[in-house]
Amino acid sequence: MERCIQRCFSEDWYSSLDHSVGVALIIWHFTKDKKQTLAGLFHDISTPVFKHTIDFMNGDYEKQEFTEGLTNEIIRKSKEIMQYLNKDGIKIEEVDDYHQYPIADNDRPQLASDRLEYIFSDGFGANLWNLEEIKKVYENIEVLENEQGMPELGFRNLEMAERFVEVASKLSLLYNANETIFSMQFLADIVKKMYEKNRITMEDLYQLSEKEMIQKIENCQDDNIAECFKIWRNATAIKESEEKIKGKYCVKIENLKIRYINPLVKIDHKAKRASEISEKAKRDIESALHFKPNKFAYLDFNLE
């Protein structure tokens, strides 16, 4: 599932800051470039509470870029950050968009630091691999040149690449499972309803933590909001259907974001995609690409 859902209700707390610091450390490891590293550190600075869940509110789940437009503004308004940037002679435009640095971020199915970090951490959280295995995979990565002549993270060893593809493909199935999509849409609708009823402000989305927002929802004076949230939180399974269920909170599962990775592998001093040289990698990628969930997911309550 998405990290905000996996970890919000778990003792194994993992925040957007943890992710951002991890991304920055990976970028520094491979580039030793301060601007790229800071761009990675700041890449989620404008992300609101419940992270990409709010993209469902904005109709931007596929690209998840709506909130990124605030990055420049948030950095600019921080006197402390601007002080450090000015001290190092770094322009805000050099660190407010990590998309400009391919080691930090690039187009799927390529591998970049952002994807590397969340596949490591989410895979660990989902018990798909342990820290020792993550260390082995990480140490096998280096910067290669891709088909466009651009730098991209890739593997020196096919076996390590295959294992990485396997975990990434399994995570893609979890990210697009009915339980995940349902829960993200539900949280988005709960937050939207809280906002419409003046129970929270837009500033709360950026100033409150997930735990504080959950407390507001659970203590909401609108009994229906609190009750629906309680039912969802205590649910052990999401019901599925091929047709929309009337009178229930029912989510249509569509516009899935397929998060598969097809990394580069160094073969005889040349870089090739894992799927070109490995049947196992190809099968794992195909499993993610052709995943078909049921059309609707629902629970027995009505949020109206």
Side-chain angles (χ1 to χ4, degrees):
M1 291 186 179
E2 284 283 353
R3 282 154 282 164
C4 63
I5 295 173
Q6 283 183 321
R7 308 280 174 47
C8 274
F9 307 101
S10 166
E11 295 180 359
D12 181 22
W13 184 255
Y14 171 87
S15 69
S16 290
L17 178 60
D18 293 325
H19 166 65
S20 297
V21 170
V23 171
L25 290 172
I26 292 171
I27 294 171
W28 180 257
H29 175 77
F30 288 108
T31 70
K32 298 299 186 290
D33 184 279
K34 184 176 289 188
K35 295 174 184 177
Q36 294 186 50
T37 301
L38 288 173
L41 180 64
F42 296 147
H43 83 281
D44 269 345
I45 199 170
S46 61
T47 302
V49 66
F50 297 144
K51 206 168 183 183
H52 291 308
T53 294
I54 305 303
D55 292 320
F56 278 78
M57 277 179 57
N58 301 323
D60 184 43
Y61 178 62
E62 288 184 87
K63 292 186 177 180
Q64 298 181 341
E65 294 175 348
F66 180 87
T67 57
E68 292 178 5
L70 298 174
T71 301
N72 184 290
E73 179 183 349
I74 291 174
I75 293 175
R76 195 178 297 279
K77 287 183 177 179
S78 172
K79 293 181 179 179
E80 189 173 13
I81 292 177
M82 291 305 299
Q83 230 174 19
Y84 283 118
L85 292 180
N86 291 332
K87 181 180 178 181
D88 286 343
I90 297 175
K91 298 177 181 178
I92 190 171
E93 293 78 13
E94 295 175 307
V95 297
D96 70 347
D97 181 11
Y98 82 141
H99 299 301
Q100 63 186 303
Y101 302 115
I103 294 301
D105 184 63
N106 50 33
D107 292 332
R108 202 173 284 102
Q110 300 173 86
L111 179 61
S113 299
D114 183 23
R115 293 188 196 99
L116 181 62
E117 197 288 326
Y118 72 66
I119 289 172
F120 278 155
S121 60
D122 286 2
F124 178 74
N127 295 316
L128 296 177
W129 50 19
N130 56 41
L131 290 178
E132 182 179 348
E133 189 172 17
I134 290 173
K135 184 174 184 292
K136 288 180 180 179
V137 172
Y138 186 60
E139 290 176 347
N140 195 255
I141 297 172
E142 65 178 59
V143 178
L144 302 175
E145 183 178 301
N146 67 18
E147 301 89 337
Q148 291 76 41
M150 300 294 291
E152 181 184 336
L153 300 182
F155 292 86
R156 293 192 294 268
N157 178 279
L158 178 58
E159 182 182 356
M160 292 292 102
E162 287 177 331
R163 179 62 177 134
F164 185 84
V165 169
E166 178 184 359
V167 172
S169 297
K170 288 180 178 179
L171 284 173
S172 181
L173 301 183
L174 290 176
Y175 296 144
N176 285 324
N178 280 356
E179 294 87 349
T180 306
I181 304 302
F182 177 94
S183 295
M184 294 183 75
Q185 185 64 64
F186 172 71
L187 286 172
D189 288 343
I190 280 281
V191 170
K192 183 178 181 180
K193 187 144 311 262
M194 291 276 288
Y195 175 73
E196 291 173 345
K197 290 179 175 290
N198 298 316
R199 305 298 185 190
I200 59 173
T201 66
M202 193 59 66
E203 287 73 24
D204 287 336
L205 297 181
Y206 294 91
Q207 296 175 359
L208 297 180
S209 68
E210 274 87 359
K211 290 181 179 179
E212 290 170 329
M213 182 61 73
I214 290 168
Q215 289 176 346
K216 274 187 170 290
I217 294 171
E218 291 179 327
N219 297 327
C220 180
Q221 295 178 9
D222 188 312
D223 290 337
N224 188 49
I225 289 178
E227 182 61 25
C228 290
F229 186 82
K230 180 180 179 181
I231 294 172
W232 169 77
R233 185 168 184 175
N234 293 330
T236 58
I238 302 296
K239 298 180 180 181
E240 301 174 342
S241 172
E242 288 297 310
E243 298 179 352
K244 184 178 177 69
I245 306 299
K246 296 181 179 180
K248 308 292 183 182
Y249 181 78
C250 190
V251 173
K252 186 175 182 179
I253 309 301
E254 59 182 350
N255 300 325
L256 298 181
K257 182 177 181 179
I258 308 299
R259 293 172 176 264
Y260 78 100
I261 305 294
N262 189 7
L264 294 173
V265 184
K266 183 189 280 188
I267 300 292
D268 297 328
H269 305 291
K270 294 182 180 180
K272 294 187 177 182
R273 294 291 165 188
S275 64
E276 298 176 15
I277 56 178
S278 167
E279 285 299 321
K280 173 176 169 45
K282 185 176 180 179
R283 286 195 304 271
D284 287 336
I285 290 170
E286 289 295 319
S287 71
L289 287 173
H290 298 298
F291 174 67
K292 297 291 183 183
N294 285 326
K295 293 181 180 180
F296 293 92
Y298 68 99
L299 279 178
D300 293 328
F301 59 79
N302 196 329
L303 193 55
E304 297 298 327

mmCIF file of all heavy atoms in Angstrom, residues 126-156:
data_model
loop_
_atom_site.group_PDB
_atom_site.id
_atom_site.type_symbol
_atom_site.label_atom_id
_atom_site.label_comp_id
_atom_site.label_asym_id
_atom_site.label_seq_id
_atom_site.Cartn_x
_atom_site.Cartn_y
_atom_site.Cartn_z
ATOM 1 N N ALA A 126 6.907 -4.261 3.983
ATOM 2 C CA ALA A 126 5.994 -5.333 3.558
ATOM 3 C C ALA A 126 6.630 -6.716 3.706
ATOM 4 O O ALA A 126 6.073 -7.711 3.230
ATOM 5 C CB ALA A 126 5.578 -5.115 2.105
ATOM 6 N N ASN A 127 7.803 -6.770 4.335
ATOM 7 C CA ASN A 127 8.520 -8.035 4.569
ATOM 8 C C ASN A 127 8.874 -8.766 3.274
ATOM 9 O O ASN A 127 8.890 -9.998 3.231
ATOM 10 C CB ASN A 127 7.696 -8.962 5.477
ATOM 11 C CG ASN A 127 7.509 -8.388 6.871
ATOM 12 O OD1 ASN A 127 8.448 -7.876 7.470
ATOM 13 N ND2 ASN A 127 6.295 -8.456 7.364
ATOM 14 N N LEU A 128 9.174 -8.001 2.234
ATOM 15 C CA LEU A 128 9.578 -8.604 0.967
ATOM 16 C C LEU A 128 11.082 -8.829 0.906
ATOM 17 O O LEU A 128 11.553 -9.597 0.073
ATOM 18 C CB LEU A 128 9.127 -7.723 -0.208
ATOM 19 C CG LEU A 128 7.612 -7.577 -0.368
ATOM 20 C CD1 LEU A 128 7.291 -6.631 -1.524
ATOM 21 C CD2 LEU A 128 6.969 -8.941 -0.618
ATOM 22 N N TRP A 129 11.817 -8.109 1.747
ATOM 23 C CA TRP A 129 13.243 -8.387 1.932
ATOM 24 C C TRP A 129 13.713 -7.789 3.247
ATOM 25 O O TRP A 129 13.007 -7.007 3.887
ATOM 26 C CB TRP A 129 14.079 -7.899 0.775
ATOM 27 C CG TRP A 129 13.892 -6.483 0.299
ATOM 28 C CD1 TRP A 129 13.327 -5.415 0.959
ATOM 29 C CD2 TRP A 129 14.285 -5.992 -0.976
ATOM 30 N NE1 TRP A 129 13.358 -4.306 0.186
ATOM 31 C CE2 TRP A 129 13.938 -4.614 -1.013
ATOM 32 C CE3 TRP A 129 14.919 -6.559 -2.084
ATOM 33 C CZ2 TRP A 129 14.199 -3.823 -2.123
ATOM 34 C CZ3 TRP A 129 15.163 -5.758 -3.178
ATOM 35 C CH2 TRP A 129 14.816 -4.416 -3.203
ATOM 36 N N ASN A 130 14.929 -8.196 3.663
ATOM 37 C CA ASN A 130 15.468 -7.721 4.931
ATOM 38 C C ASN A 130 16.602 -6.723 4.686
ATOM 39 O O ASN A 130 17.017 -6.479 3.548
ATOM 40 C CB ASN A 130 15.950 -8.895 5.802
ATOM 41 C CG ASN A 130 16.969 -9.762 5.078
ATOM 42 O OD1 ASN A 130 17.858 -9.266 4.376
ATOM 43 N ND2 ASN A 130 16.854 -11.079 5.235
ATOM 44 N N LEU A 131 17.130 -6.156 5.749
ATOM 45 C CA LEU A 131 18.153 -5.120 5.630
ATOM 46 C C LEU A 131 19.442 -5.647 5.008
ATOM 47 O O LEU A 131 20.109 -4.939 4.245
ATOM 48 C CB LEU A 131 18.449 -4.524 7.013
ATOM 49 C CG LEU A 131 17.337 -3.666 7.624
ATOM 50 C CD1 LEU A 131 17.743 -3.184 9.008
ATOM 51 C CD2 LEU A 131 17.009 -2.476 6.730
ATOM 52 N N GLU A 132 19.784 -6.885 5.315
ATOM 53 C CA GLU A 132 21.003 -7.465 4.742
ATOM 54 C C GLU A 132 20.889 -7.577 3.224
ATOM 55 O O GLU A 132 21.834 -7.256 2.488
ATOM 56 C CB GLU A 132 21.261 -8.847 5.349
ATOM 57 C CG GLU A 132 22.547 -9.492 4.845
ATOM 58 C CD GLU A 132 22.795 -10.853 5.469
ATOM 59 O OE1 GLU A 132 22.097 -11.192 6.457
ATOM 60 O OE2 GLU A 132 23.668 -11.585 4.966
ATOM 61 N N GLU A 133 19.720 -7.994 2.752
ATOM 62 C CA GLU A 133 19.525 -8.119 1.310
ATOM 63 C C GLU A 133 19.485 -6.745 0.642
ATOM 64 O O GLU A 133 20.035 -6.547 -0.447
ATOM 65 C CB GLU A 133 18.235 -8.876 1.019
ATOM 66 C CG GLU A 133 18.076 -9.246 -0.452
ATOM 67 C CD GLU A 133 16.894 -10.154 -0.695
ATOM 68 O OE1 GLU A 133 16.011 -10.260 0.183
ATOM 69 O OE2 GLU A 133 16.853 -10.768 -1.775
ATOM 70 N N ILE A 134 18.850 -5.782 1.297
ATOM 71 C CA ILE A 134 18.811 -4.413 0.772
ATOM 72 C C ILE A 134 20.225 -3.875 0.616
ATOM 73 O O ILE A 134 20.559 -3.240 -0.392
ATOM 74 C CB ILE A 134 17.979 -3.502 1.694
ATOM 75 C CG1 ILE A 134 16.495 -3.866 1.595
ATOM 76 C CG2 ILE A 134 18.190 -2.031 1.343
ATOM 77 C CD1 ILE A 134 15.616 -3.139 2.589
ATOM 78 N N LYS A 135 21.068 -4.142 1.594
ATOM 79 C CA LYS A 135 22.455 -3.682 1.544
ATOM 80 C C LYS A 135 23.186 -4.275 0.339
ATOM 81 O O LYS A 135 23.915 -3.572 -0.381
ATOM 82 C CB LYS A 135 23.182 -4.058 2.842
ATOM 83 C CG LYS A 135 24.614 -3.548 2.953
ATOM 84 C CD LYS A 135 25.166 -3.853 4.344
ATOM 85 C CE LYS A 135 26.569 -3.265 4.511
ATOM 86 N NZ LYS A 135 27.560 -3.926 3.668
ATOM 87 N N LYS A 136 22.981 -5.559 0.093
ATOM 88 C CA LYS A 136 23.629 -6.218 -1.046
ATOM 89 C C LYS A 136 23.168 -5.613 -2.373
ATOM 90 O O LYS A 136 23.970 -5.383 -3.282
ATOM 91 C CB LYS A 136 23.327 -7.718 -1.027
ATOM 92 C CG LYS A 136 24.037 -8.493 0.074
ATOM 93 C CD LYS A 136 23.675 -9.971 -0.002
ATOM 94 C CE LYS A 136 24.383 -10.753 1.101
ATOM 95 N NZ LYS A 136 24.006 -12.202 1.058
ATOM 96 N N VAL A 137 21.865 -5.383 -2.478
ATOM 97 C CA VAL A 137 21.322 -4.807 -3.709
ATOM 98 C C VAL A 137 21.844 -3.385 -3.906
ATOM 99 O O VAL A 137 22.270 -3.006 -5.003
ATOM 100 C CB VAL A 137 19.777 -4.817 -3.677
ATOM 101 C CG1 VAL A 137 19.207 -4.043 -4.862
ATOM 102 C CG2 VAL A 137 19.258 -6.246 -3.683
ATOM 103 N N TYR A 138 21.843 -2.601 -2.838
ATOM 104 C CA TYR A 138 22.295 -1.206 -2.919
ATOM 105 C C TYR A 138 23.759 -1.119 -3.341
ATOM 106 O O TYR A 138 24.130 -0.284 -4.167
ATOM 107 C CB TYR A 138 22.089 -0.532 -1.569
ATOM 108 C CG TYR A 138 22.389 0.950 -1.556
ATOM 109 C CD1 TYR A 138 21.691 1.825 -2.382
ATOM 110 C CD2 TYR A 138 23.344 1.476 -0.696
ATOM 111 C CE1 TYR A 138 21.948 3.190 -2.358
ATOM 112 C CE2 TYR A 138 23.614 2.838 -0.666
ATOM 113 C CZ TYR A 138 22.912 3.693 -1.501
ATOM 114 O OH TYR A 138 23.174 5.041 -1.481
ATOM 115 N N GLU A 139 24.571 -1.992 -2.809
ATOM 116 C CA GLU A 139 25.997 -1.972 -3.128
ATOM 117 C C GLU A 139 26.280 -2.432 -4.552
ATOM 118 O O GLU A 139 27.382 -2.246 -5.068
ATOM 119 C CB GLU A 139 26.769 -2.848 -2.133
ATOM 120 C CG GLU A 139 26.817 -2.257 -0.729
ATOM 121 C CD GLU A 139 27.486 -3.173 0.283
ATOM 122 O OE1 GLU A 139 27.684 -4.382 -0.052
ATOM 123 O OE2 GLU A 139 27.798 -2.710 1.394
ATOM 124 N N ASN A 140 25.277 -3.005 -5.205
ATOM 125 C CA ASN A 140 25.443 -3.483 -6.575
ATOM 126 C C ASN A 140 25.062 -2.421 -7.607
ATOM 127 O O ASN A 140 25.231 -2.622 -8.806
ATOM 128 C CB ASN A 140 24.595 -4.741 -6.787
ATOM 129 C CG ASN A 140 24.967 -5.494 -8.033
ATOM 130 O OD1 ASN A 140 24.252 -5.449 -9.030
ATOM 131 N ND2 ASN A 140 26.099 -6.178 -8.014
ATOM 132 N N ILE A 141 24.574 -1.283 -7.128
ATOM 133 C CA ILE A 141 24.089 -0.222 -8.028
ATOM 134 C C ILE A 141 25.199 0.768 -8.357
ATOM 135 O O ILE A 141 26.021 1.108 -7.510
ATOM 136 C CB ILE A 141 22.894 0.506 -7.386
ATOM 137 C CG1 ILE A 141 21.724 -0.459 -7.200
ATOM 138 C CG2 ILE A 141 22.451 1.698 -8.234
ATOM 139 C CD1 ILE A 141 20.572 0.118 -6.406
ATOM 140 N N GLU A 142 25.199 1.229 -9.597
ATOM 141 C CA GLU A 142 26.106 2.295 -10.017
ATOM 142 C C GLU A 142 25.405 3.154 -11.069
ATOM 143 O O GLU A 142 24.318 2.814 -11.536
ATOM 144 C CB GLU A 142 27.406 1.733 -10.583
ATOM 145 C CG GLU A 142 27.251 0.943 -11.864
ATOM 146 C CD GLU A 142 28.597 0.455 -12.405
ATOM 147 O OE1 GLU A 142 29.295 -0.274 -11.677
ATOM 148 O OE2 GLU A 142 28.923 0.822 -13.548
ATOM 149 N N VAL A 143 26.014 4.265 -11.424
ATOM 150 C CA VAL A 143 25.456 5.148 -12.445
ATOM 151 C C VAL A 143 25.869 4.636 -13.823
ATOM 152 O O VAL A 143 27.059 4.503 -14.119
ATOM 153 C CB VAL A 143 25.921 6.600 -12.254
ATOM 154 C CG1 VAL A 143 25.352 7.482 -13.375
ATOM 155 C CG2 VAL A 143 25.490 7.131 -10.892
ATOM 156 N N LEU A 144 24.874 4.345 -14.665
ATOM 157 C CA LEU A 144 25.116 3.883 -16.030
ATOM 158 C C LEU A 144 24.568 4.904 -17.028
ATOM 159 O O LEU A 144 23.884 5.856 -16.642
ATOM 160 C CB LEU A 144 24.444 2.523 -16.245
ATOM 161 C CG LEU A 144 24.878 1.385 -15.310
ATOM 162 C CD1 LEU A 144 24.035 0.145 -15.569
ATOM 163 C CD2 LEU A 144 26.351 1.075 -15.467
ATOM 164 N N GLU A 145 24.853 4.696 -18.287
ATOM 165 C CA GLU A 145 24.315 5.562 -19.332
ATOM 166 C C GLU A 145 23.174 4.838 -20.033
ATOM 167 O O GLU A 145 23.346 3.717 -20.514
ATOM 168 C CB GLU A 145 25.403 5.926 -20.341
ATOM 169 C CG GLU A 145 24.946 6.885 -21.430
ATOM 170 C CD GLU A 145 26.057 7.268 -22.389
ATOM 171 O OE1 GLU A 145 27.082 7.818 -21.924
ATOM 172 O OE2 GLU A 145 25.910 6.994 -23.606
ATOM 173 N N ASN A 146 21.999 5.478 -20.088
ATOM 174 C CA ASN A 146 20.844 4.813 -20.699
ATOM 175 C C ASN A 146 20.749 5.063 -22.201
ATOM 176 O O ASN A 146 21.649 5.649 -22.805
ATOM 177 C CB ASN A 146 19.554 5.220 -19.984
ATOM 178 C CG ASN A 146 19.208 6.692 -20.176
ATOM 179 O OD1 ASN A 146 19.690 7.370 -21.079
ATOM 180 N ND2 ASN A 146 18.337 7.189 -19.313
ATOM 181 N N GLU A 147 19.643 4.645 -22.789
ATOM 182 C CA GLU A 147 19.462 4.708 -24.237
ATOM 183 C C GLU A 147 19.500 6.139 -24.783
ATOM 184 O O GLU A 147 19.837 6.360 -25.946
ATOM 185 C CB GLU A 147 18.122 4.075 -24.636
ATOM 186 C CG GLU A 147 17.969 2.622 -24.224
ATOM 187 C CD GLU A 147 17.375 2.462 -22.844
ATOM 188 O OE1 GLU A 147 17.469 3.420 -22.029
ATOM 189 O OE2 GLU A 147 16.818 1.389 -22.555
ATOM 190 N N GLN A 148 19.147 7.103 -23.939
ATOM 191 C CA GLN A 148 19.147 8.505 -24.354
ATOM 192 C C GLN A 148 20.461 9.218 -24.056
ATOM 193 O O GLN A 148 20.579 10.424 -24.224
ATOM 194 C CB GLN A 148 17.998 9.268 -23.676
ATOM 195 C CG GLN A 148 16.608 8.888 -24.155
ATOM 196 C CD GLN A 148 16.128 7.563 -23.592
ATOM 197 O OE1 GLN A 148 16.333 7.270 -22.413
ATOM 198 N NE2 GLN A 148 15.495 6.753 -24.413
ATOM 199 N N GLY A 149 21.440 8.434 -23.601
ATOM 200 C CA GLY A 149 22.723 9.029 -23.258
ATOM 201 C C GLY A 149 22.705 9.783 -21.941
ATOM 202 O O GLY A 149 23.600 10.585 -21.661
ATOM 203 N N MET A 150 21.679 9.508 -21.113
ATOM 204 C CA MET A 150 21.534 10.180 -19.819
ATOM 205 C C MET A 150 21.976 9.259 -18.689
ATOM 206 O O MET A 150 21.893 8.023 -18.805
ATOM 207 C CB MET A 150 20.076 10.587 -19.605
ATOM 208 C CG MET A 150 19.540 11.533 -20.669
ATOM 209 S SD MET A 150 20.357 13.136 -20.622
ATOM 210 C CE MET A 150 19.719 13.785 -19.069
ATOM 211 N N PRO A 151 22.449 9.841 -17.575
ATOM 212 C CA PRO A 151 22.831 9.008 -16.433
ATOM 213 C C PRO A 151 21.609 8.397 -15.762
ATOM 214 O O PRO A 151 20.569 9.045 -15.641
ATOM 215 C CB PRO A 151 23.536 9.995 -15.501
ATOM 216 C CG PRO A 151 22.950 11.330 -15.836
ATOM 217 C CD PRO A 151 22.685 11.273 -17.312
ATOM 218 N N GLU A 152 21.722 7.144 -15.367
ATOM 219 C CA GLU A 152 20.619 6.440 -14.713
ATOM 220 C C GLU A 152 21.196 5.379 -13.779
ATOM 221 O O GLU A 152 22.205 4.748 -14.096
ATOM 222 C CB GLU A 152 19.705 5.791 -15.750
ATOM 223 C CG GLU A 152 18.516 5.049 -15.145
ATOM 224 C CD GLU A 152 17.683 4.337 -16.194
ATOM 225 O OE1 GLU A 152 17.712 4.754 -17.372
ATOM 226 O OE2 GLU A 152 17.015 3.339 -15.844
ATOM 227 N N LEU A 153 20.567 5.182 -12.648
ATOM 228 C CA LEU A 153 20.995 4.138 -11.729
ATOM 229 C C LEU A 153 20.709 2.770 -12.338
ATOM 230 O O LEU A 153 19.635 2.546 -12.903
ATOM 231 C CB LEU A 153 20.274 4.277 -10.386
ATOM 232 C CG LEU A 153 20.484 5.582 -9.620
ATOM 233 C CD1 LEU A 153 19.741 5.541 -8.285
ATOM 234 C CD2 LEU A 153 21.962 5.864 -9.396
ATOM 235 N N GLY A 154 21.680 1.868 -12.231
ATOM 236 C CA GLY A 154 21.510 0.526 -12.767
ATOM 237 C C GLY A 154 22.345 -0.469 -11.982
ATOM 238 O O GLY A 154 22.991 -0.119 -10.991
ATOM 239 N N PHE A 155 22.353 -1.713 -12.431
ATOM 240 C CA PHE A 155 22.977 -2.800 -11.680
ATOM 241 C C PHE A 155 24.190 -3.378 -12.405
ATOM 242 O O PHE A 155 24.221 -3.444 -13.641
ATOM 243 C CB PHE A 155 21.953 -3.914 -11.429
ATOM 244 C CG PHE A 155 20.853 -3.522 -10.495
ATOM 245 C CD1 PHE A 155 19.719 -2.884 -10.972
ATOM 246 C CD2 PHE A 155 20.953 -3.759 -9.136
ATOM 247 C CE1 PHE A 155 18.698 -2.501 -10.122
ATOM 248 C CE2 PHE A 155 19.941 -3.393 -8.265
ATOM 249 C CZ PHE A 155 18.808 -2.759 -8.763
ATOM 250 N N ARG A 156 25.143 -3.802 -11.621
ATOM 251 C CA ARG A 156 26.332 -4.467 -12.179
ATOM 252 C C ARG A 156 26.081 -5.954 -12.361
ATOM 253 O O ARG A 156 26.784 -6.618 -13.117
ATOM 254 C CB ARG A 156 27.534 -4.268 -11.241
ATOM 255 C CG ARG A 156 28.019 -2.844 -11.126
ATOM 256 C CD ARG A 156 29.364 -2.774 -10.425
ATOM 257 N NE ARG A 156 29.267 -3.190 -9.034
ATOM 258 C CZ ARG A 156 29.037 -2.357 -8.022
ATOM 259 N NH1 ARG A 156 28.855 -1.064 -8.258
ATOM 260 N NH2 ARG A 156 28.974 -2.793 -6.778
#
